[in-house]
Amino acid sequence: MKSDSDSMSEEEFHDELRTLLATAHEQGVDVRGGWDCRFDECSDFEVVVVEAQKR
């Protein structure tokens, strides 16, 4: 996780998220579904991952 003094662009966030999802999928983790992400230091989030059809 980056410190408060570091900043992350939307593109960097997207790249890191893609890497995380690809790595988890390759290692057999079913990433589909809802994930609650609770934090003490910032807002809480609910993330929903839905498998999309390849174009």
Side-chain angles (χ1 to χ4, degrees), residues 27-47:
Q27 294 183 11
V29 176
D30 185 1
V31 298
R32 297 170 297 183
W35 301 85
D36 288 330
C37 299
R38 306 277 180 213
F39 302 96
D40 291 334
E41 65 277 358
C42 66
S43 299
D44 294 338
F45 296 92
E46 182 176 346
V47 178

Side-chain angles (χ1 to χ4, degrees), residues 10-43:
E10 190 172 327
E11 183 178 351
E12 289 170 320
F13 172 77
H14 186 248
D15 288 345
E16 288 198 29
L17 182 58
R18 285 184 53 160
T19 298
L20 176 66
L21 289 170
T23 301
H25 180 71
E26 289 167 1
Q27 294 183 11
V29 176
D30 185 1
V31 298
R32 297 170 297 183
W35 301 85
D36 288 330
C37 299
R38 306 277 180 213
F39 302 96
D40 291 334
E41 65 277 358
C42 66
S43 299

